[in-house]
Amino acid sequence: MTRAFALLFAAITVLAGTGHAQAQGFPLFQDFDSRDILGGGPGFFRPGMPSGSSPIPRTTVNFDSNYAPGTILISTAERRLYLVLGNGQALRYGIGVGRDGFRWSGTHRITAKKEWPSWTPPAQMLRRRPDLPRHMSGGIDNPLGARAMYLGSTLYRIHGSNEPETIGQAVSSGCFRMTNEDVTDLYSRVRIGTPVIVRN
């Protein structure tokens, strides 16, 4: 009897410890794959998370093209964004791109620029993910990061991210994401009206 009671007590202790561990691990968000929401990663809800540097360093490269300086060319296959500098050169950034079924191509222009943008999930995303917040104010926890550049009349953006380890991957719902450091740099170099050419 005493041994049975001891086993029961041990089992209750283990279960209580497991419950405590789940509470410490933010169970509310364990199934919340924020990579579905325009490029956030699994930990963007953690307050104060630093942006970190990109695993794909920003660099100036040789780039022969007929594009005018200031043009942005995005290669989803390479997972790179090129800002044409002229004189046969471009500034190359690592980016995250849309996952399978969400990649696209076309030509647009930057129609708006916002610092620390707020985010409202579009209706089609809410249909896929009814658990998403209906609105998030701008800030370090927001999946759009430090800066966003809006592309034409589309729902897509070039925007920041707090998850540098996912740069170079195909994880978003069609947006192009950069580290906060890189998106802030690009933001400072382009203007509204800048052409953006997306190629698969």
Side-chain angles (χ1 to χ4, degrees):
M1 179 75 173
T2 303
R3 184 172 180 180
F5 181 80
L7 288 173
L8 178 60
F9 180 79
I12 290 170
T13 303
V14 168
L15 289 174
T18 302
H20 180 70
Q22 286 180 342
Q24 295 299 314
F26 304 101
L28 179 62
F29 302 118
Q30 282 179 347
D31 296 327
F32 185 90
D33 185 0
S34 54
R35 296 176 195 212
D36 185 43
I37 58 173
L38 303 178
F44 83 83
F45 273 107
R46 295 175 192 161
M49 179 177 286
S51 65
S53 57
S54 176
I56 303 167
R58 178 173 71 239
T59 186
T60 302
V61 296
N62 293 329
F63 191 81
D64 291 324
S65 75
N66 295 323
Y67 299 118
T71 301
I72 292 174
L73 176 69
I74 293 174
S75 170
T76 57
E78 292 180 61
R79 299 172 186 177
R80 301 292 187 275
L81 181 151
Y82 296 88
L83 175 63
V84 179
L85 301 175
N87 299 318
Q89 291 190 316
L91 197 53
R92 183 178 67 195
Y93 302 83
I95 57 171
V97 302
R99 63 189 185 278
D100 289 346
F102 288 85
R103 286 189 286 276
W104 57 278
S105 61
T107 300
H108 292 284
R109 290 185 180 272
I110 293 176
T111 49
K113 296 171 60 181
K114 294 185 181 176
E115 298 184 10
W116 295 106
S118 61
W119 175 64
T120 301
Q124 56 266 50
M125 186 175 288
L126 287 172
R127 282 194 293 273
R128 291 196 312 272
R129 295 292 311 278
D131 58 314
L132 293 178
R134 295 314 187 250
H135 180 80
M136 287 186 72
S137 298
I140 195 70
D141 294 336
N142 192 296
L144 296 184
R147 304 287 185 272
M149 289 153 277
Y150 296 73
L151 303 180
S153 60
T154 73
L155 297 173
Y156 303 119
R157 307 162 181 86
I158 300 166
H159 65 80
S161 170
N162 293 327
E163 302 241 319
E165 70 276 9
T166 62
I167 300 302
Q169 298 183 27
V171 295
S172 83
S173 292
C175 283
F176 307 105
R177 47 207 218 104
M178 310 171 77
T179 62
N180 283 333
E181 180 182 338
D182 279 353
V183 80
T184 301
D185 181 81
L186 179 65
Y187 186 97
S188 71
R189 297 173 185 268
V190 299
R191 56 183 175 76
I192 292 175
T194 293
V196 179
I197 299 156
V198 180
R199 293 181 173 172
N200 285 323

